[in-house]
Amino acid sequence: MSGSGTNLQALLDACAETSYGARVVAVGADREDIEGLARAERANIPTFVRQLSDFETREGWDSALTTVVERFEPDLVVLAGFMKLVSTDFLARFVTLNTHPALCPAFPGMHGPRDALDYGVKVSGATLFVVDGGVDTGPIVAQTVVPVADDDDVESLHERIKTAERTMLVDAVGRIVRNGISVEGRRVRIGDEAR
Ligand code: GRF
């Protein structure tokens, strides 16, 4: 993760209830001293950092990231705002989800809320997707919609999106862990029949 970790916090809070059915086994970041790591430490969750600049090559970083994640044997990896692409090898090993603060396929990339506002859309939202090799292009797991207000700026719109995004993430991750997920082409299903 790279941001302030409110998506992570929402998952940590949900996992505190045993009925939720999921457990965060580790939290990783691509740099030190970020709020997400502090949030994990406060919840007594193991953390790790693999920083790209500490490696001679991108491949070296990719492989170190895969190795450390593998050690925790996760059923699911949630990037939750991790702002780097992970390798195809990583994606082949772990079911990996990410959230994007826009309604995919609209406004992919680093500035979803700004681009949506500049375009003049009247609704936006967030998309939870299975990560593939592209930027915010993977099969869609869930979406949530929020209105755009006439007086919104990027910050107010992103905050409204993030509130809905956290609810969507917690709901979908819980259902996936409890009931399974199946991905066939671009069609994603959550539920008992998906196991
Ligand atoms: C989220 O809106 C995420 O989709 C985007 O950046 C924000 C991260 O928020 N990539 P946080 O770090 O979980 O608070």
Side-chain angles (χ1 to χ4, degrees):
M1 71 167 45
S2 321
S4 65
T6 61
N7 278 304
L8 167 66
Q9 189 65 54
L11 287 172
L12 291 171
D13 292 347
C15 290
E17 300 287 330
T18 47
S19 61
Y20 184 62
R23 192 164 63 90
V24 178
V25 291
V27 172
D30 66 336
R31 56 202 162 96
E32 307 274 359
D33 296 327
I34 58 168
E35 184 55 22
L37 292 172
R39 291 177 191 276
E41 278 154 21
R42 286 196 290 273
N44 293 315
I45 309 285
T47 62
F48 60 87
V49 174
R50 294 295 179 278
Q51 187 157 342
L52 185 53
S53 58
D54 290 339
F55 293 84
E56 279 180 17
T57 61
R58 176 77 187 212
E59 290 70 30
W61 179 77
D62 282 335
S63 136
L65 189 66
T66 304
T67 302
V68 67
V69 172
E70 211 153 44
R71 199 180 297 156
F72 292 101
E73 302 183 347
D75 295 324
L76 193 63
V77 175
V78 181
L79 296 183
F82 191 73
M83 300 302 262
K84 288 202 170 55
L85 295 177
V86 294
S87 68
T88 49
D89 184 43
F90 186 100
L91 297 176
R93 279 165 206 243
F94 312 110
V95 179
T96 304
L97 306 183
N98 199 3
T99 63
H100 178 59
L103 293 174
C104 294
F107 314 119
M110 301 280 281
H111 302 289
R114 184 196 72 188
D115 295 344
L117 205 55
D118 287 352
Y119 198 88
V121 296
K122 299 300 185 196
V123 295
S124 190
T127 303
L128 180 68
F129 60 96
V130 180
V131 180
D132 65 6
V135 175
D136 304 323
T137 52
I140 292 171
V141 177
Q143 290 186 299
T144 185
V145 177
V146 302
V148 178
D150 289 345
D151 59 354
D152 265 336
D153 56 18
V154 175
E155 198 181 331
S156 64
L157 176 60
H158 197 181
E159 275 312 310
R160 189 176 311 113
I161 290 171
K162 284 179 66 166
T163 301
E165 185 179 34
R166 290 191 286 268
T167 304
M168 170 188 72
L169 180 67
V170 166
D171 170 68
V173 166
R175 287 190 293 119
I176 289 168
V177 171
R178 292 189 303 272
N179 301 322
I181 182 170
S182 81
V183 184
E184 281 167 36
R186 290 208 57 87
R187 303 294 293 272
V188 179
R189 282 201 308 269
I190 303 173
D192 288 332
E193 74 281 4
R195 265 185 196 279

